[in-house]
Amino acid sequence: MTTTLIRGAQVVFPEGVRASNILLSDGRIAAVDVTAAVEASEVIEAAGLHLLPGVIDDQVHFREPGLTHKEDLLTATRACAKGGVTSFLEMPNTKPTTTTVAALHEKLELAASKCIVNFGFYIGATPTNLEELQRAERTPGIKIFIGSSTGDLLVDDQQALERIFGETSLPICAHCEDEATVRANAAAIQGGRDYADHSRVRDNRAAIIATRRAVDLAERHRHQFHVLHVSTAEEVAFLRDTSELISAEACPHHLFFSTDDYPRLGSLIQMNPSIKSPADTQAVWQGLLDGTLEVVATDHAPHTLEEKQQPYPKSPSGLPAVENSLALLLHQVSLGRCTLSQVVSWMCEAPARVWKLKNKGAIRVGYDADLVLVDLKRTETILNDRQLTKCGWSPWHGTSLTGWPVRTLVHGKTVYQDGQVLDGATGREIEFQR
Ligand code: DOR
């Protein structure tokens, strides 16, 4: 049996940060606070580093099957390993869409042969696939596009939504931008010509109308519901008073970019929901800090630069982020804007809790040894030509950050160390507690 001793790290436990030696055995955390002299087949010297649970990114678009010129499960999970992301939950807008149990199982099989990190896949709702949603089991939950985005998944019809919330039992998450509002806004400015028009088409009203509508459905049907990518001050204010059935998340692009960045970055920050005003960005931060939003996830949505460089509105929405999200948040720790324990809560503990991942999201005896060692003092600059995502660019190109993952372990096996990804299908299917 392989055993690994991680010696001398400052460990981020759910109850706080302290020095501890951690023993891993058979892919699990076997013991904490062991003596430094304990026998192990491998010893990782981690003095000066912090040990965190691996990041769980509950919102990514990895493009396989069908859109693999943008990304695939191998390139995406190499990027995850580098970024300290040890588990991901992927969205159904691939080609074909993941809207049947058969398509879900095919994706799971494909992932088992390719993924370096652990994987789970949502099943997508359509106006007519209720039975599939009722039958699906090996999935964190149901994704609804209440408002269209990349691809053609959309459920806008009230009756169809009532049935999905009323007659299924898996947790639901949704992309909340009101379709009618988006269409009316687009018509009012003849579709728009400038990338900045994207934030006029997909405005604050579109977001809050759809978020209110979805939360109303969830609360009436007593259904667990997660609001993806909150982008507006109005949504944060509204979500402060919702019930325990409702959880919500923020994404790095809504925390670190605003409409002020369009002149510099143009379509690189064209996203759905759109980037909003600096005041909205502040409000989303405040929502995280006061616990209204509990998860940080990326919405990693790569497109090629060639696709992105098309004139608006032909340019597609989406940007890559999995390999930089943890560093972006660790940098905020270095600036004193939040604590390391808050980052672990947002990126590890909360997604595991919301989606009921079995044995993940914390450093606890018996939990999976999905871990990331970070160097809080290391400063590096994000550069397009160093990105592992297949699309080969980052909207944060040229940004220097302090605080980086240096080693990532999945089920006790090192998958990334000091700039090198160690390839192999080390990822496993995530299990859910129901
Ligand atoms: O900007 C986005 N891009 N938002 C989404 O909801 C989908 C994503 C994509 O798949 O490209």
Side-chain angles (χ1 to χ4, degrees):
M1 199 191 313
T2 337
T3 51
T4 302
L5 173 65
I6 304 179
R7 188 152 63 191
Q10 290 290 322
V11 180
V12 186
F13 292 106
E15 57 282 357
V17 184
R18 64 184 156 82
S20 180
N21 302 312
I22 307 288
L23 187 69
L24 315 179
S25 168
D26 222 12
R28 296 273 172 96
I29 298 168
V32 302
D33 299 330
V34 296
T35 71
V38 83
E39 283 274 314
S41 31
E42 178 191 31
V43 177
I44 298 176
E45 296 295 354
L49 303 177
H50 283 73
L51 183 70
L52 281 51
V55 168
I56 298 164
D57 193 330
D58 79 4
Q59 193 192 173
V60 300
H61 302 265
F62 283 172
R63 309 302 194 204
E64 187 167 359
L67 298 160
T68 52
H69 66 289
K70 298 175 197 274
E71 189 78 282
D72 63 51
L73 289 168
L74 179 60
T75 53
T77 57
R78 297 186 92 235
C80 283
K82 177 182 161 197
V85 177
T86 54
S87 296
F88 69 84
L89 304 177
E90 206 250 4
M91 290 298 165
N93 59 337
T94 41
K95 262 190 179 168
T97 54
T98 321
T99 48
T100 63
V101 172
L104 173 67
H105 290 179
E106 271 168 41
K107 238 187 195 182
L108 284 166
E109 250 173 63
L110 191 63
S113 70
K114 296 186 86 167
C115 288
I116 296 171
V117 305
N118 306 311
F119 49 87
F121 299 98
Y122 295 95
I123 185 159
T126 75
T128 55
N129 74 339
L130 194 64
E131 247 179 67
E132 302 285 338
L133 304 181
Q134 290 165 334
R135 280 201 306 127
E137 283 175 356
R138 292 161 62 192
T139 177
I142 297 166
K143 162 74 182 279
I144 313 178
F145 283 89
I146 305 180
S148 54
S149 187
T150 304
D152 49 18
L153 283 176
L154 172 67
V155 187
D156 190 30
D157 173 64
Q158 189 66 20
Q159 228 178 336
L161 287 169
E162 297 283 353
R163 293 199 69 188
I164 296 167
F165 277 89
E167 297 174 38
T168 66
S169 56
L170 290 168
I172 296 177
C173 61
H175 180 115
C176 298
E177 285 184 295
D178 184 59
E179 192 65 14
T181 307
V182 169
R183 285 190 191 162
N185 288 342
I189 57 169
Q190 286 88 45
R193 249 165 287 124
D194 198 84
Y195 299 120
D197 283 338
H198 196 62
S199 296
R200 300 182 186 106
V201 171
R202 292 177 178 264
D203 63 357
N204 289 42
R205 276 189 66 241
I208 184 65
I209 290 172
T211 294
R212 278 181 186 279
R213 182 182 183 198
V215 168
D216 169 65
L217 280 154
E219 295 203 327
R220 276 192 292 107
H221 291 287
R222 304 290 307 153
H223 204 119
Q224 192 198 323
F225 178 64
H226 184 70
V227 186
L228 298 164
H229 40 44
V230 170
S231 63
T232 66
E234 291 88 333
E235 288 168 290
V236 174
F238 168 67
L239 289 165
R240 286 215 167 89
D241 295 322
T242 50
S243 79
E244 74 296 338
L245 292 166
I246 312 300
S247 56
E249 83 187 26
C251 297
H253 48 277
H254 293 129
L255 293 168
F256 299 115
F257 295 129
S258 74
T259 45
D260 287 356
D261 294 305
Y262 276 125
R264 184 170 63 91
L265 293 166
S267 68
L268 298 186
I269 55 165
Q270 182 190 324
M271 279 303 286
N272 302 338
S274 65
I275 299 300
K276 304 294 194 303
S277 72
D280 289 298
T281 306
Q282 288 300 323
V284 175
W285 258 112
Q286 192 48 45
L288 263 184
L289 292 170
D290 70 21
T292 305
L293 312 177
E294 54 237 75
V295 173
V296 172
T298 61
D299 196 7
H300 177 92
H303 298 284
T304 66
L305 262 187
E306 209 182 347
E307 291 166 335
K308 286 295 262 183
Q309 279 158 356
Q310 295 170 91
Y312 189 80
K314 267 193 158 178
S315 45
S317 297
L319 55 80
V322 281
E323 66 199 277
N324 299 311
S325 56
L326 178 58
L328 283 162
L329 271 293
L330 293 178
H331 185 67
Q332 300 305 307
V333 175
S334 81
L335 298 176
R337 197 173 191 182
C338 57
T339 67
L340 190 56
S341 290
Q342 281 174 312
V343 171
V344 167
S345 169
W346 300 332
M347 303 186 86
C348 315
E349 292 164 9
R353 187 174 62 241
V354 167
W355 298 106
K356 302 188 177 65
L357 271 56
K358 198 169 163 195
N359 294 337
K360 294 201 188 293
I363 298 181
R364 268 209 191 105
V365 173
Y367 272 40
D368 294 336
D370 297 337
L371 300 163
V372 55
L373 276 166
V374 304
D375 182 348
L376 292 180
K377 297 210 172 73
R378 182 163 177 153
T379 300
E380 263 180 51
T381 303
I382 297 175
L383 295 171
N384 283 345
D385 61 8
R386 300 259 175 90
Q387 300 305 294
L388 298 184
T389 171
K390 196 184 272 186
C391 71
W393 60 274
S394 166
W396 287 283
H397 170 73
T399 305
S400 267
L401 302 174
T402 299
W404 282 90
V406 293
R407 185 163 181 158
T408 307
L409 290 88
V410 172
H411 287 283
K413 190 174 173 301
T414 296
V415 295
Y416 171 78
Q417 189 179 359
D418 290 330
Q420 291 301 319
V421 176
L422 304 153
D423 286 332
T426 22
R428 294 191 204 157
E429 181 175 343
I430 295 167
E431 292 178 48
F432 306 96
Q433 284 164 325
R434 305 251 194 251

Short mmCIF file of all heavy atoms in Angstrom, two decimals, residues 59-63 67 70 91 93-94 143 145 147-151 175 177 198 202 228-229 253 269-274 299-303 308 316-319, ligand 1:
data_model
loop_
_atom_site.label_atom_id
_atom_site.label_comp_id
_atom_site.label_asym_id
_atom_site.label_seq_id
_atom_site.Cartn_x
_atom_site.Cartn_y
_atom_site.Cartn_z
N GLN A 59 -18.80 24.77 -11.96
CA GLN A 59 -19.38 25.27 -13.21
C GLN A 59 -18.31 25.44 -14.29
O GLN A 59 -17.63 26.46 -14.35
CB GLN A 59 -20.10 26.60 -12.99
CG GLN A 59 -20.94 26.94 -14.21
CD GLN A 59 -21.50 28.33 -14.27
OE1 GLN A 59 -22.07 28.68 -15.28
NE2 GLN A 59 -21.35 29.12 -13.27
N VAL A 60 -18.16 24.42 -15.14
CA VAL A 60 -17.20 24.50 -16.24
C VAL A 60 -17.83 23.98 -17.53
O VAL A 60 -18.79 23.21 -17.50
CB VAL A 60 -15.92 23.68 -15.93
CG1 VAL A 60 -15.22 24.18 -14.68
CG2 VAL A 60 -16.22 22.19 -15.81
N HIS A 61 -17.26 24.44 -18.65
CA HIS A 61 -17.67 23.97 -19.98
C HIS A 61 -16.42 23.41 -20.64
O HIS A 61 -15.55 24.18 -21.04
CB HIS A 61 -18.22 25.12 -20.82
CG HIS A 61 -19.39 25.82 -20.19
ND1 HIS A 61 -20.70 25.51 -20.48
CD2 HIS A 61 -19.44 26.83 -19.29
CE1 HIS A 61 -21.51 26.28 -19.78
NE2 HIS A 61 -20.77 27.10 -19.04
N PHE A 62 -16.31 22.08 -20.71
CA PHE A 62 -15.07 21.47 -21.21
C PHE A 62 -15.18 20.97 -22.65
O PHE A 62 -14.25 20.36 -23.18
CB PHE A 62 -14.60 20.37 -20.26
CG PHE A 62 -13.93 20.90 -19.00
CD1 PHE A 62 -13.60 20.04 -17.95
CD2 PHE A 62 -13.62 22.25 -18.85
CE1 PHE A 62 -12.97 20.52 -16.79
CE2 PHE A 62 -12.99 22.74 -17.69
CZ PHE A 62 -12.66 21.86 -16.66
N ARG A 63 -16.33 21.21 -23.29
CA ARG A 63 -16.45 21.14 -24.76
C ARG A 63 -16.38 19.77 -25.41
O ARG A 63 -16.41 19.69 -26.63
CB ARG A 63 -15.39 22.04 -25.43
CG ARG A 63 -15.31 23.47 -24.92
CD ARG A 63 -16.61 24.19 -25.07
NE ARG A 63 -16.49 25.63 -24.89
CZ ARG A 63 -17.51 26.41 -24.53
NH1 ARG A 63 -18.71 25.89 -24.29
NH2 ARG A 63 -17.36 27.70 -24.41
N LEU A 67 -17.08 19.84 -29.46
CA LEU A 67 -16.55 21.19 -29.67
C LEU A 67 -15.06 21.22 -29.32
O LEU A 67 -14.55 22.18 -28.75
CB LEU A 67 -17.33 22.20 -28.80
CG LEU A 67 -18.83 22.29 -29.11
CD1 LEU A 67 -19.59 22.89 -27.94
CD2 LEU A 67 -19.07 23.12 -30.37
N LYS A 70 -12.07 23.79 -29.29
CA LYS A 70 -11.92 24.82 -28.25
C LYS A 70 -11.22 24.26 -27.01
O LYS A 70 -10.46 24.95 -26.34
CB LYS A 70 -13.32 25.30 -27.79
CG LYS A 70 -14.18 25.95 -28.87
CD LYS A 70 -15.57 26.26 -28.28
CE LYS A 70 -16.64 26.51 -29.31
NZ LYS A 70 -16.70 27.90 -29.76
N MET A 91 -20.97 21.34 -17.52
CA MET A 91 -22.29 21.74 -18.03
C MET A 91 -22.69 20.97 -19.29
O MET A 91 -21.83 20.48 -20.03
CB MET A 91 -22.26 23.24 -18.31
CG MET A 91 -22.21 24.05 -17.03
SD MET A 91 -23.72 23.70 -16.09
CE MET A 91 -23.28 24.33 -14.48
N ASN A 93 -23.97 21.81 -22.27
CA ASN A 93 -24.08 22.38 -23.62
C ASN A 93 -22.92 21.97 -24.53
O ASN A 93 -22.29 22.79 -25.17
CB ASN A 93 -24.23 23.91 -23.57
CG ASN A 93 -23.05 24.60 -22.89
OD1 ASN A 93 -22.35 23.99 -22.09
ND2 ASN A 93 -22.85 25.85 -23.21
N THR A 94 -22.68 20.65 -24.55
CA THR A 94 -21.72 20.09 -25.51
C THR A 94 -22.50 19.65 -26.75
O THR A 94 -23.70 19.91 -26.85
CB THR A 94 -21.01 18.87 -24.86
OG1 THR A 94 -21.98 18.12 -24.13
CG2 THR A 94 -19.92 19.32 -23.91
N LYS A 143 -29.27 21.08 -14.91
CA LYS A 143 -28.96 22.46 -15.31
C LYS A 143 -30.05 22.97 -16.24
O LYS A 143 -30.40 22.31 -17.22
CB LYS A 143 -27.61 22.50 -16.03
CG LYS A 143 -27.34 23.75 -16.87
CD LYS A 143 -27.03 24.97 -15.99
CE LYS A 143 -26.81 26.24 -16.81
NZ LYS A 143 -25.49 26.36 -17.38
N PHE A 145 -31.06 26.28 -18.60
CA PHE A 145 -30.79 27.61 -19.16
C PHE A 145 -32.13 28.34 -19.24
O PHE A 145 -32.91 28.12 -20.15
CB PHE A 145 -30.17 27.51 -20.57
CG PHE A 145 -28.71 27.12 -20.58
CD1 PHE A 145 -28.32 25.79 -20.62
CD2 PHE A 145 -27.71 28.09 -20.58
CE1 PHE A 145 -26.97 25.43 -20.64
CE2 PHE A 145 -26.36 27.73 -20.60
CZ PHE A 145 -25.99 26.40 -20.64
N GLY A 147 -32.96 31.22 -20.20
CA GLY A 147 -32.28 32.29 -20.92
C GLY A 147 -31.17 31.60 -21.68
O GLY A 147 -30.38 30.85 -21.10
N SER A 148 -31.13 31.83 -22.99
CA SER A 148 -30.19 31.07 -23.81
C SER A 148 -28.79 31.65 -23.70
O SER A 148 -28.60 32.82 -23.39
CB SER A 148 -30.65 31.06 -25.26
OG SER A 148 -30.87 32.38 -25.69
N SER A 149 -27.80 30.79 -23.95
CA SER A 149 -26.40 31.23 -23.96
C SER A 149 -25.73 30.50 -25.11
O SER A 149 -26.35 30.31 -26.15
CB SER A 149 -25.78 30.94 -22.60
OG SER A 149 -24.50 31.48 -22.53
N THR A 150 -24.47 30.05 -24.92
CA THR A 150 -23.80 29.29 -25.98
C THR A 150 -24.55 27.97 -26.17
O THR A 150 -24.77 27.25 -25.20
CB THR A 150 -22.33 29.04 -25.60
OG1 THR A 150 -21.72 30.30 -25.34
CG2 THR A 150 -21.60 28.32 -26.71
N GLY A 151 -24.90 27.63 -27.42
CA GLY A 151 -25.66 26.41 -27.69
C GLY A 151 -27.15 26.72 -27.73
O GLY A 151 -27.57 27.87 -27.60
N HIS A 175 -28.94 29.02 -15.28
CA HIS A 175 -28.41 30.25 -15.88
C HIS A 175 -29.58 31.22 -15.94
O HIS A 175 -30.56 30.98 -16.66
CB HIS A 175 -27.90 29.96 -17.30
CG HIS A 175 -27.34 31.15 -17.98
ND1 HIS A 175 -26.02 31.26 -18.34
CD2 HIS A 175 -27.92 32.31 -18.38
CE1 HIS A 175 -25.82 32.44 -18.91
NE2 HIS A 175 -26.97 33.09 -18.96
N GLU A 177 -30.92 34.59 -16.99
CA GLU A 177 -31.03 35.86 -17.72
C GLU A 177 -32.33 35.75 -18.51
O GLU A 177 -32.52 34.79 -19.26
CB GLU A 177 -29.85 36.05 -18.68
CG GLU A 177 -28.56 36.44 -18.00
CD GLU A 177 -27.45 36.73 -19.01
OE1 GLU A 177 -27.03 35.78 -19.72
OE2 GLU A 177 -27.00 37.87 -19.09
N HIS A 198 -22.94 44.43 -25.23
CA HIS A 198 -23.34 43.15 -24.63
C HIS A 198 -23.93 43.37 -23.23
O HIS A 198 -24.88 42.69 -22.84
CB HIS A 198 -22.12 42.23 -24.55
CG HIS A 198 -22.47 40.80 -24.31
ND1 HIS A 198 -23.23 40.06 -25.20
CD2 HIS A 198 -22.20 39.97 -23.27
CE1 HIS A 198 -23.41 38.84 -24.72
NE2 HIS A 198 -22.80 38.76 -23.54
N ARG A 202 -27.69 42.28 -22.27
CA ARG A 202 -27.86 41.39 -21.10
C ARG A 202 -27.65 42.26 -19.87
O ARG A 202 -26.59 42.27 -19.26
CB ARG A 202 -26.86 40.24 -21.18
CG ARG A 202 -27.19 39.29 -22.33
CD ARG A 202 -26.18 38.18 -22.48
NE ARG A 202 -26.57 37.28 -23.54
CZ ARG A 202 -27.25 36.13 -23.35
NH1 ARG A 202 -27.57 35.74 -22.15
NH2 ARG A 202 -27.58 35.38 -24.38
N LEU A 228 -26.47 30.15 -10.43
CA LEU A 228 -25.12 30.23 -11.00
C LEU A 228 -24.74 31.70 -11.25
O LEU A 228 -25.62 32.56 -11.38
CB LEU A 228 -25.06 29.46 -12.32
CG LEU A 228 -25.35 27.95 -12.21
CD1 LEU A 228 -25.66 27.37 -13.59
CD2 LEU A 228 -24.18 27.22 -11.57
N HIS A 229 -23.47 31.96 -11.31
CA HIS A 229 -22.88 33.24 -11.73
C HIS A 229 -23.72 34.49 -11.48
O HIS A 229 -24.20 35.14 -12.41
CB HIS A 229 -22.42 33.20 -13.19
CG HIS A 229 -23.31 32.50 -14.17
ND1 HIS A 229 -24.67 32.66 -14.19
CD2 HIS A 229 -23.01 31.66 -15.18
CE1 HIS A 229 -25.15 31.92 -15.18
NE2 HIS A 229 -24.19 31.31 -15.78
N HIS A 253 -14.71 36.39 -13.16
CA HIS A 253 -14.85 37.51 -14.11
C HIS A 253 -15.81 38.57 -13.60
O HIS A 253 -15.69 39.74 -13.94
CB HIS A 253 -15.25 37.02 -15.51
CG HIS A 253 -16.38 36.05 -15.54
ND1 HIS A 253 -16.21 34.70 -15.32
CD2 HIS A 253 -17.71 36.22 -15.76
CE1 HIS A 253 -17.38 34.09 -15.40
NE2 HIS A 253 -18.30 34.99 -15.67
N ILE A 269 -13.78 39.67 -22.61
CA ILE A 269 -14.62 39.61 -21.40
C ILE A 269 -16.12 39.61 -21.76
O ILE A 269 -16.96 39.90 -20.92
CB ILE A 269 -14.29 40.73 -20.38
CG1 ILE A 269 -14.36 42.11 -21.01
CG2 ILE A 269 -12.92 40.48 -19.75
CD1 ILE A 269 -14.41 43.24 -19.99
N GLN A 270 -16.41 39.25 -22.99
CA GLN A 270 -17.82 39.06 -23.35
C GLN A 270 -18.28 37.73 -22.75
O GLN A 270 -17.79 36.66 -23.12
CB GLN A 270 -17.99 39.05 -24.86
CG GLN A 270 -19.46 38.91 -25.28
CD GLN A 270 -19.60 38.67 -26.77
OE1 GLN A 270 -18.85 39.22 -27.58
NE2 GLN A 270 -20.57 37.83 -27.13
N MET A 271 -19.21 37.82 -21.82
CA MET A 271 -19.68 36.65 -21.06
C MET A 271 -21.18 36.70 -20.91
O MET A 271 -21.77 37.78 -20.92
CB MET A 271 -19.11 36.70 -19.63
CG MET A 271 -17.70 36.22 -19.45
SD MET A 271 -17.39 34.55 -20.00
CE MET A 271 -18.16 33.55 -18.75
N ASN A 272 -21.78 35.55 -20.68
CA ASN A 272 -23.18 35.49 -20.27
C ASN A 272 -23.26 34.85 -18.89
O ASN A 272 -22.76 33.72 -18.76
CB ASN A 272 -24.00 34.63 -21.23
CG ASN A 272 -23.93 35.12 -22.65
OD1 ASN A 272 -23.65 36.29 -22.89
ND2 ASN A 272 -24.16 34.22 -23.59
N PRO A 273 -23.85 35.46 -17.89
CA PRO A 273 -24.31 36.83 -17.84
C PRO A 273 -23.15 37.80 -18.10
O PRO A 273 -22.00 37.49 -17.81
CB PRO A 273 -24.82 36.99 -16.40
CG PRO A 273 -25.03 35.61 -15.89
CD PRO A 273 -24.06 34.74 -16.62
N SER A 274 -23.52 38.96 -18.62
CA SER A 274 -22.50 39.93 -19.01
C SER A 274 -21.76 40.48 -17.79
O SER A 274 -22.23 40.39 -16.66
CB SER A 274 -23.17 41.09 -19.73
OG SER A 274 -24.00 41.77 -18.81
N ASP A 299 -17.09 29.07 -14.35
CA ASP A 299 -17.80 29.14 -15.63
C ASP A 299 -16.78 29.09 -16.79
O ASP A 299 -17.00 29.71 -17.84
CB ASP A 299 -18.67 30.39 -15.72
CG ASP A 299 -19.71 30.32 -16.84
OD1 ASP A 299 -19.85 29.25 -17.46
OD2 ASP A 299 -20.39 31.34 -17.08
N HIS A 300 -15.66 28.39 -16.57
CA HIS A 300 -14.63 28.22 -17.62
C HIS A 300 -15.32 27.87 -18.94
O HIS A 300 -15.95 26.82 -19.05
CB HIS A 300 -13.70 27.08 -17.18
CG HIS A 300 -12.63 26.70 -18.15
ND1 HIS A 300 -11.36 27.26 -18.12
CD2 HIS A 300 -12.61 25.82 -19.17
CE1 HIS A 300 -10.62 26.73 -19.07
NE2 HIS A 300 -11.35 25.85 -19.73
N ALA A 301 -15.20 28.76 -19.92
CA ALA A 301 -15.94 28.59 -21.19
C ALA A 301 -15.06 29.03 -22.35
O ALA A 301 -15.21 30.14 -22.88
CB ALA A 301 -17.24 29.38 -21.15
N PRO A 302 -14.11 28.17 -22.75
CA PRO A 302 -13.14 28.57 -23.77
C PRO A 302 -13.72 28.65 -25.18
O PRO A 302 -14.57 27.85 -25.57
CB PRO A 302 -12.08 27.47 -23.69
CG PRO A 302 -12.76 26.29 -23.09
CD PRO A 302 -13.86 26.81 -22.22
N HIS A 303 -13.27 29.65 -25.91
CA HIS A 303 -13.49 29.77 -27.36
C HIS A 303 -12.13 30.14 -27.95
O HIS A 303 -11.31 30.76 -27.27
CB HIS A 303 -14.49 30.89 -27.67
CG HIS A 303 -15.86 30.66 -27.11
ND1 HIS A 303 -16.76 29.78 -27.66
CD2 HIS A 303 -16.47 31.20 -26.03
CE1 HIS A 303 -17.88 29.80 -26.95
NE2 HIS A 303 -17.74 30.64 -25.95
N LYS A 308 -13.32 34.58 -30.95
CA LYS A 308 -13.57 35.74 -30.10
C LYS A 308 -13.37 37.05 -30.84
O LYS A 308 -13.96 38.07 -30.49
CB LYS A 308 -12.65 35.71 -28.88
CG LYS A 308 -13.01 34.69 -27.82
CD LYS A 308 -14.35 34.96 -27.14
CE LYS A 308 -14.25 35.66 -25.82
NZ LYS A 308 -15.57 35.82 -25.18
N PRO A 316 -18.47 34.97 -29.78
CA PRO A 316 -19.14 34.14 -28.77
C PRO A 316 -18.81 34.59 -27.34
O PRO A 316 -17.78 35.22 -27.11
CB PRO A 316 -18.56 32.74 -29.02
CG PRO A 316 -17.23 32.99 -29.63
CD PRO A 316 -17.31 34.30 -30.38
N SER A 317 -19.69 34.25 -26.40
CA SER A 317 -19.48 34.61 -24.99
C SER A 317 -18.77 33.48 -24.27
O SER A 317 -19.12 32.31 -24.46
CB SER A 317 -20.83 34.86 -24.32
OG SER A 317 -21.47 35.96 -24.92
N GLY A 318 -17.81 33.82 -23.45
CA GLY A 318 -17.12 32.81 -22.66
C GLY A 318 -15.63 33.11 -22.57
O GLY A 318 -15.06 33.68 -23.49
N LEU A 319 -15.04 32.73 -21.44
CA LEU A 319 -13.60 32.88 -21.26
C LEU A 319 -13.06 31.73 -20.39
O LEU A 319 -13.80 31.13 -19.62
CB LEU A 319 -13.28 34.26 -20.63
CG LEU A 319 -13.95 34.67 -19.31
CD1 LEU A 319 -13.25 34.04 -18.10
CD2 LEU A 319 -13.93 36.18 -19.17
O1 DOR B 1 -20.53 33.18 -21.45
C1 DOR B 1 -20.93 32.02 -21.38
N1 DOR B 1 -20.40 31.03 -22.12
N2 DOR B 1 -21.96 31.73 -20.56
C2 DOR B 1 -22.57 30.53 -20.60
O2 DOR B 1 -23.53 30.35 -19.89
C3 DOR B 1 -22.13 29.49 -21.53
C4 DOR B 1 -20.73 29.67 -21.88
C5 DOR B 1 -20.28 28.80 -23.04
O3 DOR B 1 -20.58 27.60 -23.02
O4 DOR B 1 -19.61 29.31 -23.93
#
